[in-house]
Amino acid sequence: MSTAATVRIGIDTGGTFTDCVLLHDGHPAVVFKVPSTPENPAKAILQGLERLCIGAGIPLEEIDFIAHGTTVATNAMLQEQWAKVGLITTKGFRDILEIGTQMRPELYGLHQKKPAPLVTRDLREEVTERIDANGQVVDSLDEDEVRDIVRKLLSSDIDSLAITLLFSFANPKHEAAIRAIVKEVAPELYVCISSEVSPEFREYPRTSTTVINGALAPIIRRYLRHLREALNERGAGQRLHIMQSNGGNVSAEEAEESAHNLILSGPAGGIVAAAEIARKAGYPNALTFDMGGTSSDVGLIVNGRAQIIQNTTVNGAYPLQVPTVDVHTIGAGGGSIGWCDQGGALKVGPKSAGAVPGPACYGKGGTEPTVTDANLFLGRLNADYYLGGEFDVYPERSEAVLEELANEMELELERLAWGIIEVANASMVGALRVVSSRRGHDPRDFALIAFGGAGPLHATALAKELGVRKVIVPATPGVLCALGLLLSDIRHDFSQTEVTAMANVDEQTTEQSFREMEGRGISRLVNDGVTPNHMRLERSLDIRYLGQEHYLNVPIEGEITLELLEESGKRFHSEHENTYGHAAEDEPIEIVNLRLSAVGKLKHSEQGSMHHEELGTGQPLPSDKRSVYFSGQGWCDTPIYRRKSLVQGYTIVGPAIIEQMDTTLIVEPGQWVESDQHGNMIVTLGDFV
């Protein structure tokens, strides 16, 4: 891998389409969307690669860098199709996964169903050993017992093994010894230990994170090895990198060993690209809205940076204790199905038509109305220019399935179709409020960046509901996640638990801990081929009030000194005020975790120049006009523009529709749109003056 790679490909696998972008310095981007192949995601990836290389006239073996955002880990968790994993833990802690904590999806729900542990009880085993909270050995490891337990688990045909011992984050000696024994008995078995997967305190989240890694690793390894073999046959296998949940890339080999870091592999790319676009466009504070065929992902950008959280949950139930881009996902996409519940109410999603059979208009066997079918029927999509005219759609099939549901609900056809749009919009507005107002941010102070194949179709309606004044549509919104893969750097995250009252911190000991993590980070970056002048090491502290459960992450710069610690304490109080609406500056605080991010800066092309060669030079003129349905307006004769006709300095007043290969933008009556110097379309909401 070269930090100066000049020919780079980004490929993001979505539920309906696989998005592909090729960037070559000094040349316009080459962009393709191909239908995803859920039964074998690699098939669509290889198809996309071949089309990109043909379009650019560059042989695949001459590609310098390939970045891939994958949904394999996400889908495995959502569909509960993970590997059969065994668990070895300290005697007395066999049931930690079932005991869990008091956290639950519905705090006061008396009849909610408790999710089943990822490891059944017959595959959870205890070993005799004990290490205390200070890392001192209390009871030695019984190695003969370990061998017996490993043989017992192997007789159950486990695919992988997770090892989580009490206080191993303070001393990993026993976990490492168990792994060595397992390798003696079963050299081919995948084994992960919590002191490497999540070396932090809190036994239940650490165990859950390690088990999630063990449950996903065999699936990820099988998928990535198959993909790498196919790329090796084409001379490009060693250039494959995978996007992590933290917004950074790693080599495919490392991704095989850290599957738990890939849960948000795809959406993370979109947030990274949106942050870059927001900063360049002059809107450093922005909400991100990525609507695809199966789901919608929303996020928050503050001061030009994507927000990173240190823990999340999978399936709303299983704790995952790793840094991730703060993304909220809901089951609302173009393929989300409209249906009538037992009470006669219209519902949309979370069930999706996906890529197969897809919406009814795709003509692949879909028999239920989707959001895409509703948009097509209401004139918001162009049947003759879907994916630039390269994808055939059948409007009559959309009308047929919509009419069937309308008759069932005794609604007019237009009302049913618009109802599907409204219900989907309500879900997406709720998701945007989760990442904004519920976290102390007024959405009216933010711009909305809309992308994904369906994002610009719905963005202006969502902005109106939220009170947002500006909607930004990037140059290539339908493939922005794929572009984000190429705007991301190499990144490795490290953490170490050191629970210490701020007043008692030993500066030298803490500095030594940071330097040890930095040494590991530099070593990993060197292995990635990153040169010293392209490395960046970012330190931070997790701080909380003494006796509190939750902490906040506070970035720091420079060597650990008394002055730096005092400053970090002040920043903690300020952040606590911003996050929770109050602070207690007289209360003692404590450090709980040290964190380090080792970043390898990659060369990035200027995103703003991606499509300028296609833009027109004169007054933009509509290419067509058609009847389009708008809320409160009904059917309106609406001018249709091709995006390539837009130039900087001209304004188009709504109602209007602007089409391009990878998306369609709706400009509602009373709104207007302009193109900026970076190729973004900026929609302003309000009365046009």
Side-chain angles (χ1 to χ4, degrees):
M1 189 276 298
S2 170
T3 55
T6 58
V7 183
R8 294 166 296 127
I9 289 178
I11 297 188
D12 176 57
T13 301
T16 305
F17 288 101
T18 294
D19 303 333
C20 313
V21 173
L22 183 147
L23 297 184
H24 184 192
D25 289 354
H27 298 78
V30 180
V31 175
F32 278 111
K33 294 173 78 76
V34 297
S36 293
T37 50
E39 74 288 351
N40 179 10
K43 182 179 178 182
I45 292 170
L46 296 172
Q47 290 173 353
L49 281 170
E50 290 171 359
R51 293 194 63 177
L52 283 173
C53 291
I54 292 172
I58 299 174
L60 182 56
E61 59 269 19
E62 293 184 13
I63 301 300
D64 296 299
F65 184 83
I66 301 173
H68 174 34
T70 175
T71 56
V72 171
T74 309
N75 292 339
M77 292 303 298
L78 291 175
Q79 299 167 14
E80 300 185 359
Q81 294 178 348
W82 46 73
K84 188 177 183 180
V85 56
L87 173 65
I88 294 178
T89 188
T90 302
K91 190 176 291 294
F93 288 83
R94 180 184 186 185
D95 296 319
I96 187 69
L97 290 177
E98 294 206 56
I99 295 170
T101 68
Q102 287 297 309
M103 299 300 293
R104 64 196 73 178
E106 299 176 37
L107 185 59
Y108 300 106
L110 300 180
H111 302 290
Q112 58 188 297
K113 184 179 180 181
K114 188 174 182 179
L118 294 178
V119 185
T120 56
R121 198 168 195 272
D122 61 306
L123 297 179
R124 304 195 299 261
E125 296 289 343
E126 302 174 332
V127 295
T128 301
E129 69 85 37
R130 194 62 171 246
I131 291 175
D132 66 19
N134 297 315
Q136 301 300 312
V137 176
V138 176
D139 295 321
S140 298
L141 179 68
D142 187 334
E143 296 189 358
D144 290 334
E145 182 185 40
V146 171
R147 288 184 172 85
D148 291 339
I149 286 173
V150 171
R151 293 189 182 96
K152 179 181 177 182
L153 289 171
L154 289 172
S155 69
S156 297
D157 295 324
I158 59 173
D159 299 309
S160 63
L161 180 62
I163 302 169
T164 307
L165 304 181
L166 192 65
F167 297 119
S168 61
F169 62 86
N171 183 349
K173 176 181 177 181
H174 287 173
E175 284 192 349
I178 294 175
R179 178 171 59 182
I181 292 171
V182 176
K183 288 302 181 183
E184 291 176 9
V185 178
E188 299 302 318
L189 184 69
Y190 177 83
V191 183
C192 57
I193 60 178
S194 72
S195 51
E196 291 180 355
V197 173
S198 180
E200 300 176 23
F201 74 148
R202 293 179 173 159
E203 188 71 9
Y204 171 53
R206 181 160 55 89
T207 303
S208 174
T209 302
T210 308
V211 166
I212 287 172
N213 184 64
L216 293 177
I219 297 168
I220 291 295
R221 292 177 101 185
R222 185 164 55 248
Y223 167 65
L224 290 182
R225 287 180 180 180
H226 169 69
L227 180 57
R228 279 200 293 142
E229 288 173 4
L231 290 174
N232 282 333
E233 294 174 359
R234 294 160 173 82
Q238 298 305 312
R239 290 139 197 174
L240 179 64
H241 288 72
I242 308 300
M243 171 62 86
Q244 303 174 100
S245 302
N246 61 13
N249 287 304
V250 293
S251 67
E253 294 89 340
E254 181 167 341
E256 291 179 14
E257 303 300 322
S258 54
H260 63 296
N261 285 327
L262 306 184
I263 294 292
L264 295 177
S265 173
I271 300 293
V272 170
E276 179 75 3
I277 288 165
R279 183 182 61 80
K280 287 186 175 181
Y283 299 93
N285 296 325
L287 296 165
T288 68
F289 170 51
D290 174 11
M291 183 177 178
T294 305
S295 61
S296 292
D297 303 310
V298 300
L300 187 72
I301 296 167
V302 178
N303 295 325
R305 298 194 67 174
Q307 300 300 287
I308 302 291
I309 55 176
Q310 304 305 327
N311 48 70
T312 185
T313 58
V314 177
N315 294 8
Y318 307 112
L320 185 65
Q321 196 165 251
V322 295
T324 62
V325 172
D326 190 5
V327 177
H328 183 66
T329 302
I330 60 170
S336 294
I337 293 171
W339 54 284
C340 179
D341 71 7
Q342 292 181 341
L346 176 63
K347 302 286 187 179
V348 178
K351 183 180 177 182
S352 173
V356 180
C361 61
Y362 285 8
K364 295 182 178 180
T367 58
E368 298 174 285
T370 67
V371 173
T372 295
D373 291 309
N375 275 313
L376 183 61
F377 173 76
L378 294 173
R380 299 156 70 86
L381 288 172
N382 186 346
D384 297 324
Y385 195 68
Y386 201 80
L387 291 186
E390 293 190 11
F391 192 91
D392 293 331
V393 295
Y394 306 92
E396 68 280 3
R397 299 189 183 187
S398 291
E399 183 172 351
V401 295
L402 287 166
E403 189 169 17
E404 184 177 342
L405 182 59
N407 292 337
E408 177 186 345
M409 300 188 68
E410 298 181 353
L411 291 173
E412 293 181 358
L413 190 54
E414 291 86 354
R415 184 70 193 100
L416 181 277
W418 183 247
I420 290 175
I421 303 296
E422 285 185 310
V423 172
N425 284 351
S427 297
M428 293 181 284
V429 165
L432 286 163
R433 288 197 171 114
V434 166
V435 299
S436 57
S437 55
R438 290 192 190 178
R439 298 181 185 175
H441 300 281
D442 189 338
R444 293 173 296 183
D445 297 331
F446 289 71
L448 178 63
I449 301 181
F451 53 101
L457 265 172
H458 296 256
T460 53
L462 306 187
K464 185 194 302 183
E465 182 70 21
L466 291 165
V468 170
R469 285 273 296 165
K470 297 286 185 180
V471 174
I472 303 172
V473 181
T476 54
V479 295
L480 199 71
C481 287
L483 173 64
L485 303 175
L486 301 179
L487 296 177
S488 302
D489 296 311
I490 301 293
R491 175 168 171 157
H492 303 283
D493 288 310
F494 303 88
S495 62
Q496 183 171 321
T497 293
E498 290 189 7
V499 182
T500 311
M502 184 69 82
N504 299 331
V505 172
D506 184 306
E507 299 102 285
Q508 291 184 341
T509 301
T510 304
E511 176 65 24
Q512 182 59 38
S513 296
F514 269 116
R515 291 191 177 184
E516 188 276 330
M517 287 192 290
E518 287 175 345
R520 288 190 284 149
I522 291 171
S523 177
R524 297 273 280 277
L525 292 175
V526 168
N527 289 337
D528 289 326
V530 180
T531 56
N533 59 322
H534 288 93
M535 296 180 184
R536 187 176 73 246
L537 303 174
E538 301 174 348
R539 295 179 173 188
S540 65
L541 299 169
D542 289 341
I543 304 175
R544 68 183 180 186
Y545 288 114
L546 194 65
Q548 250 190 350
E549 164 70 9
H550 298 289
Y551 53 76
L552 293 173
N553 183 256
V554 178
I556 59 173
E557 293 184 9
E559 186 175 341
I560 300 299
T561 62
L562 183 60
E563 292 75 17
L564 183 142
L565 293 172
E566 289 177 351
E567 179 61 28
S568 65
K570 293 177 182 178
R571 293 187 64 182
F572 165 75
H573 292 301
S574 176
E575 186 65 23
H576 202 279
E577 175 74 33
N578 292 337
T579 304
Y580 300 110
H582 65 90
E585 297 184 10
D586 295 331
E587 291 294 320
I589 59 177
E590 63 182 356
I591 295 173
V592 291
N593 294 312
L594 315 181
R595 297 191 184 275
L596 178 89
S597 296
V599 179
K601 295 290 292 180
L602 299 178
K603 179 181 177 181
H604 304 307
S605 296
E606 286 294 317
Q607 184 273 334
S609 64
M610 286 184 62
H611 274 275
H612 282 187
E613 289 80 1
E614 295 184 6
L615 296 181
T617 57
Q619 171 69 42
L621 298 173
S623 61
D624 197 1
K625 181 176 285 190
R626 68 172 179 264
S627 186
V628 179
Y629 189 92
F630 290 95
S631 177
Q633 303 285 328
W635 294 94
C636 301
D637 283 340
T638 304
I640 312 300
Y641 296 84
R642 295 290 164 84
R643 182 164 188 172
K644 62 184 179 182
S645 70
L646 268 66
V647 295
Q648 186 180 352
Y650 283 94
T651 298
I652 294 176
V653 181
I657 287 181
I658 301 171
E659 300 174 337
Q660 63 187 97
M661 185 279 291
D662 53 351
T663 197
T664 298
L665 170 64
I666 300 290
V667 185
E668 298 195 0
Q671 303 171 356
W672 68 97
V673 61
E674 302 167 288
S675 182
D676 72 2
Q677 69 270 29
H678 301 293
N680 302 308
M681 290 189 291
I682 311 293
V683 183
T684 302
L685 281 70
D687 295 328
F688 179 69
V689 179

